[in-house]
Amino acid sequence: MTSAPIHFNKTRIAPTPSGFLHVGNILSFSITAALARKHGAKILLRIDDLDRARVNQEYLTDIFDTLRFLGIPWDEGSRNADDFEARFSQMHRMQLYNDALEQLAASGFVFACTCSRKQLIEAGNCVCLNKQIPLNTPEASWRLRTDQAATLRVKNYDGAIIQAPLPAEMESFVVRKKDGFPAYQLTSIIDDLFYGIDLIVRGEDLWASTLAQIQLAAMMGKATFSNTVFYHHPLLLEGDGKKLSKSAGSTSVRYLRQEGRSVADVFGLISALLMLPEKANNWQQLAGFILS
């Protein structure tokens, strides 16, 4: 007799309106929806729109159009672009992000960085840690002090606890950008805690971000975040072995629709890219093949 599956409270799909959704996004959303339905979890549509220079109304509308076209469900969050702007934009939660940043600053966990992109490339990393640059310096980003980072523990979906150090690429990562806006690693934690997320599905390319967020949450005193369960799925790759990007227009669902492709065609393409033995016709079948 098999035991009942573990219950989760809520998971999320979290696109950014900085490009048209592509088949790589759809793979992630399909797995998220399937795991939510399996474990009795609600699905939140969380749209990350703090990169204001790249946010585009056409991309925002595309999120809703694509999800509805493919039949991918969500239970909470905005139903259209206007509803999103009025009630769910990250701009409405700026005070939460700024409170977290102020807490980090008061605890001495951040330092100011004035390195240019060129300097970072040449030096290989930021060299501002010991310069004691004032945090209120114009055009300075804030970086997290990770010099005392301990071994981190990740609760994996399969029940395992994975222990790993903070990756070298995440040493002294940015928590506040030079424009004064909070950075992704911080806003993602705050949003997931705000909405009660306890299951996060993301691509394996975001493993370093998972570790960075666990480190940051611990330093912010957000112990609840350590109970979050993570599922990291394989990526769809282009012919050259690189992961799909939003700039790869031919893999956007919008392009495929304009070419007359059906829902089954979209999921068939994803199946082919994953080299699955069978062709999926919808998100349920796709996720079923991957999760079985």
Side-chain angles (χ1 to χ4, degrees):
M1 181 177 177
T2 58
S3 59
I6 297 170
H7 174 78
F8 290 106
N9 174 55
K10 196 182 300 180
T11 186
R12 73 330 192 251
I13 52 181
T16 56
S18 57
F20 295 114
L21 292 184
H22 57 67
V23 290
N25 300 126
I26 304 311
L27 168 63
S28 187
F29 299 166
S30 298
I31 296 172
T32 303
L35 289 178
R37 294 299 182 247
K38 177 179 179 180
H39 296 283
K42 298 288 187 182
I43 305 169
L44 167 74
L45 174 56
R46 190 197 91 188
I47 301 173
D48 296 351
D49 69 327
L50 276 193
D51 190 351
R52 304 306 291 179
R54 299 178 65 198
V55 170
N56 181 300
Q57 188 70 22
E58 193 175 17
Y59 298 148
L60 181 59
T61 300
D62 175 69
I63 292 171
F64 300 98
D65 290 346
T66 299
L67 292 176
R68 290 195 171 100
F69 171 66
L70 297 175
I72 296 175
W74 72 98
D75 307 298
E76 298 182 10
S78 48
R79 309 314 296 181
N80 54 57
D82 290 339
D83 184 35
F84 170 75
E85 295 286 6
R87 298 195 295 147
F88 293 96
S89 167
Q90 288 184 304
M91 297 300 292
H92 298 300
R93 298 188 292 282
M94 283 297 295
Q95 190 59 53
L96 294 177
Y97 309 141
N98 287 331
D99 287 346
L101 286 168
E102 289 174 12
Q103 177 191 345
L104 288 170
S107 301
F109 290 152
V110 294
F111 64 94
C113 167
T114 56
C115 293
S116 66
R117 186 180 298 273
K118 180 181 178 182
Q119 288 172 322
L120 289 171
I121 293 173
E122 290 177 348
N125 62 304
C126 171
V127 294
C128 296
L129 177 59
N130 297 315
K131 291 184 178 180
Q132 298 185 329
I133 301 168
L135 291 177
N136 61 357
T137 300
E139 295 294 308
S141 61
W142 290 7
R143 292 180 176 273
L144 193 71
R145 295 188 62 111
T146 59
D147 43 320
Q148 301 297 320
T151 299
L152 303 166
R153 292 162 54 88
V154 181
K155 285 184 127 181
N156 203 50
Y157 174 74
D158 64 5
I161 302 294
I162 301 174
Q163 299 191 57
L166 188 70
E169 67 196 87
M170 286 296 176
E171 290 180 6
S172 303
F173 61 87
V174 173
V175 293
R176 196 190 78 159
K177 298 179 292 184
K178 288 187 175 184
D179 60 7
F181 275 75
Y184 165 74
Q185 307 297 0
L186 184 139
T187 61
S188 187
I189 295 170
I190 297 300
D191 283 352
D192 285 336
L193 291 173
F194 178 78
Y195 285 111
I197 304 299
D198 56 357
L199 173 63
I200 295 176
V201 178
R202 54 176 39 151
E204 59 188 15
D205 60 321
L206 291 178
W207 172 248
S209 283
T210 293
L211 292 169
Q213 288 173 17
I214 289 172
Q215 173 71 46
L216 177 55
M219 295 177 74
M220 292 193 296
K222 307 292 186 183
T224 306
F225 194 77
S226 64
N227 294 320
T228 305
V229 171
F230 290 86
Y231 182 102
H232 295 84
H233 61 78
L235 304 178
L236 293 185
L237 303 176
E238 297 183 44
D240 56 5
K242 295 180 180 178
K243 80 167 193 171
L244 294 178
S245 68
K246 288 187 177 181
S247 61
S250 62
T251 62
S252 76
V253 178
R254 180 177 183 267
Y255 173 84
L256 295 171
R257 291 182 70 181
Q258 290 174 341
E259 292 292 300
R261 303 293 185 91
S262 66
V263 171
D265 290 334
V266 173
F267 287 102
L269 172 59
I270 298 173
S271 303
L273 289 169
L274 286 171
M275 293 186 288
L276 296 177
E278 295 182 66
K279 175 180 156 183
N281 294 311
N282 52 51
W283 67 265
Q284 295 96 326
Q285 290 181 356
L286 176 66
F289 294 151
I290 294 168
L291 298 171
S292 61

